[in-house]
């Protein structure tokens, strides 16, 4: 074995650190001594023609790592793809080119296009640590990105990924800005639009701060991790798809930023616009409908905030050459019954199948959006909503959805959680309000979205009457511990579903 001052044998640690490359070394490793590495040092690892920059974790348990060896996390291992018994050289990486731009933004200095491009390239190449990325995300949060910076960030994110050209003709797309539990209209809208003979190649995100993203929900019914070639085949065959955007690399920098935003549990208007529109432009969309739910416990809480976001979306879309329409919808309470990937999927299927007890609010919202999108098309004639109803009622939308699922790898029924607990009402009266954010928190504590079957089931809507002991909502979990965590939070926060005495 080569005992050069900076060479070690590398082994797979089989530790999942999500997308962050991590390297584990012994505290008495000769490379740490010779190179001056310490815990959290950024280390460049070169193996053959490949290299990756990883963060060092120092291990004091000598039995875990053999002498002359380093262990790599799953992200680092996949980046290097080493052969058996491979060795790698460990050195200090060059300072990231974007360091000065990142520091400038932290101190509130306005950045230009080249600054954002430098930061995004370094982020995608792994040259920035998660601490540096967190500093960037925080420096851009709130209103710290103006319109010019929003456009510059959008263009930078678009520049570093793949772009699809669908050829002649228009391509429809839709997006919801989020913040409203259960608002899983996308699979239904895609099915309706594709059944109408239009193209709608939908790339969707996984959850950032919610109990489910569209990709998480769709994955309980069909594979979503398709590459670009596979996605194209699905759309060419069926007219539409619902796939995870992170796997087709249409805006890969967005997934890097999302990784940091998720634990921070926030995003900003400028980053939201850049994230959404960079992916829409990269997907080859020409006409984009944006759903902005507005409500006191939604992501967008006021009409003035919705107007500001709409203006920023419209201005950025215009620069990118996208036709854009914003639909402002009611965000005072959850949509449908389920909150969590599999529970939301069951609602989607109930609407598509025309089941008698399917959530009517989810159906009507999906029809509204699908109709508006059909009317946006160059050949739209103002009858979009009526056409959407027809396609749903006739079963054509369901048939198209199943065909899309089959083309993506096969349809399957979503699963169900092993443990369910009905949370009872403590008073008699009418439902006065439902706290979207706290109900979302309950679903996340129950295990959603990482546990696809977990979440919350709630049939009640504002105005419904309940009696003492009636079920306000049901907590669904796959482990007793997760059920207890969610139940403890719900019990400590009275008024998640607020019931007022009718008198």
């Amino acid at each position: 074995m080569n005992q050069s001052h900076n060479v070690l044998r590398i082994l797979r640690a089989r530790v999942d650190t999500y997308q962050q490359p991590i390297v584990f070394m012994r505290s008495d490793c000769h490379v740490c001594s010779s190179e001056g590495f310490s815990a959290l040092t950024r280390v460049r690892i070169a193996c053959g023609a490949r290299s990756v920059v990883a963060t060092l974790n120092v291990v004091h348990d000598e039995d875990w790592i053999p002498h002359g060896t380093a262990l790599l996390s799953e992200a680092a291992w996949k980046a290097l793809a080493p052969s058996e018994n491979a060795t790698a050289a460990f050195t200090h990486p060059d300072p990231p080119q974007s360091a000065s731009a990142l520091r400038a933004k932290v101190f509130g200095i306005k950045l230009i296009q080249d600054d954002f491009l430098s930061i995004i390239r370094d982020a995608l190449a792994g040259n920035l640590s998660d601490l540096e990325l967190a500093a960037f995300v925080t420096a851009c949060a709130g209103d710290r990105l103006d319109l010019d910076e929003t456009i510059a960030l959008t263009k930078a994110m678009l520049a570093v990924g793949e772009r699809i050209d669908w050829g002649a003709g228009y391509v429809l797309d839709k997006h919801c800005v989020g913040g409203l539990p259960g608002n899983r209209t996308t699979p239904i809208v895609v099915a309706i639009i594709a059944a109408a003979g239009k193209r709608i190649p939908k790339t969707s995100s996984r959850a950032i701060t919610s109990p489910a993203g569209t990709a998480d929900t769709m994955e309980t019914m069909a594979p979503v991790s398709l590459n670009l070639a596979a996605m194209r085949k699905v759309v060419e065959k069926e007219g539409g798809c619902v796939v995870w955007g992170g796997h087709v690399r249409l805006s890969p920098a967005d997934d890097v930023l999302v990784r940091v935003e998720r634990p921070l549990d926030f995003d900003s208007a400028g980053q939201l616009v850049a994230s959404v529109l960079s992916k829409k432009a990269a997907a080859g969309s020409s006409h984009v409908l944006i759903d902005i739910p507005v409500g006191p416990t939604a992501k967008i809480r006021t009409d003035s905030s919705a107007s500001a976001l709409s203006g920023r979306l419209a201005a950025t879309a215009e620069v990118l050459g996208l036709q854009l329409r914003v639909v402002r919808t009611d965000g005072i309470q959850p949509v449908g019954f389920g909150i969590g990937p599999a529970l939301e999927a069951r609602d989607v299927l109930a609407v598509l199948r025309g089941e008698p007890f399917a959530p009517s609010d989810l159906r009507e919202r999906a029809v509204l959006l699908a109709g508006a999108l059909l009317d946006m098309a160059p050949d739209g004639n103002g009858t979009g909503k009526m056409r959407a109803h027809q396609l749903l009622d006739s079963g054509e939308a369901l048939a198209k959805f199943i065909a899309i699922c089959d083309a993506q790898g096969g349809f399957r029924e979503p699963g169900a959680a092993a443990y369910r607990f009905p949370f009872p009402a403590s008073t008699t009266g009418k439902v006065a309000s439902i706290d979207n954010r706290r109900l979302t928190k309950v679903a996340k504590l129950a295990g959603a979205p990482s546990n696809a079957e977990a979440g919350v089931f709630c049939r009640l809507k504002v105005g419904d009457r309940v009696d003492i002991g009636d079920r306000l909502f049901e907590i669904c979990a796959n482990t007793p511990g997760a059920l207890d965590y969610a139940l403890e939070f719900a019990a400590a926060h009275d008024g998640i579903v607020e019931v007022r005495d009718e008198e």
Side-chain angles (χ1 to χ4, degrees), residues 4 19 52 57 101 153 167 195 243 267 278 287 291 312 315 319 359 376 386 394 405 438 479 498:
S4 174
Q19 297 175 355
V52 65
N57 282 193
L153 177 59
V243 303
D267 52 14
S278 66
H287 294 70
D291 173 20
R312 193 181 297 227
V319 172
M376 274 189 75
M386 182 176 67
S394 68
C405 289
R438 286 183 172 171
T479 66
E498 184 184 6

Side-chain angles (χ1 to χ4, degrees), residues 289-324:
L289 182 79
I290 305 291
D291 173 20
I292 301 183
V294 182
T297 59
K299 179 182 290 187
I300 308 302
R301 302 187 186 187
T302 65
D303 286 333
S304 60
S305 295
S307 296
L309 179 59
S310 298
R312 193 181 297 227
L313 282 162
T316 306
E318 184 178 5
V319 172
L320 298 179
L322 297 173
Q323 297 294 315
L324 183 133

